[in-house]
Amino acid sequence: KVGDPMDAATDIGPLATESVRDDLINQIEASIAAGAKRTLGAERLDRPGWFVSPGMLEDIPQGTPAFEDELFGPVALMFKAASFDEAISLANATRFGLSSAVFTADKTEMERSFNEIEAGMTMINTTSSSDPRLPFGGVKASGHGRELSSAGLREFMNIKTCAIGATH
């Protein structure tokens, strides 16, 4: 349910600002104009507020905003790969690298995902989320250090080396 974020029955609230909503709609529409297929929602809702319906795009061509940029809104992007190697290559074909999620029961694919996907976080059989016990942050254009956990605390500290030489 899309609606007021203060209502407990709401699943999806509005985007942060009108310009964020408009930018997302422009990215969606430009991607569709270039060949991506809208399979569900991903449309501006005609109501007060900055709402976009949850949706999904697939068959997304390279060079489109949905392929090249980060879409900040309730839009899933579905990419098809013919093999696990192609899936890893596709996952790495972005200048961003905040988080990845892989769903598999294959232990080799799990290990390869951890080792080969270029992302600050890789989750297996679950979606990415922020957990204060775990470091949170990305790599590439999504990389500006870490937050949360002891690793995140260290991002806000300056480590100082102190030493005392021999005294007479």
Side-chain angles (χ1 to χ4, degrees), residues 7-165:
D7 181 348
T10 295
D11 298 304
I12 303 287
L15 295 175
T17 67
E18 182 177 23
S19 66
V20 169
R21 186 222 30 223
D22 292 347
D23 288 347
L24 177 62
I25 293 299
N26 289 339
Q27 289 173 307
I28 292 166
E29 296 305 326
S31 297
I32 291 169
K37 292 185 178 65
R38 182 191 332 249
T39 55
L40 178 71
E43 298 175 300
R44 178 183 175 162
L45 294 176
D46 187 21
R47 63 195 293 180
W50 307 311
F51 292 95
V52 173
S53 64
M56 184 168 68
L57 301 179
E58 62 181 297
D59 299 331
I60 302 161
Q62 280 188 305
T64 63
F67 192 98
E68 305 293 335
D69 300 329
E70 291 181 304
L71 273 59
F72 287 102
V75 182
L77 306 175
M78 183 66 66
F79 296 91
K80 297 173 187 164
S83 67
F84 195 73
D85 286 336
E86 185 181 343
I88 295 281
S89 179
L90 187 58
N92 291 335
T94 176
R95 61 191 174 99
F96 300 104
L98 179 59
S99 185
S100 61
V102 177
F103 293 82
T104 182
D106 184 299
K107 300 272 191 226
T108 300
E109 290 179 353
M110 290 179 193
E111 186 173 337
R112 287 191 60 202
S113 298
F114 289 142
N115 291 326
E116 297 177 33
I117 293 177
E118 299 163 357
M121 301 176 287
T122 296
M123 309 299 187
I124 303 292
N125 298 329
T126 187
T127 57
S128 299
S129 63
S130 178
D131 181 325
R133 299 168 297 174
L134 303 173
F136 182 91
V139 297
K140 303 189 215 179
S142 298
H144 298 287
R146 294 292 176 268
E147 58 189 65
L148 306 177
S149 81
S150 60
L153 288 174
R154 288 186 189 98
E155 293 287 334
F156 294 96
M157 298 178 190
N158 288 318
I159 305 301
K160 182 177 184 179
T161 300
C162 299
I164 300 175

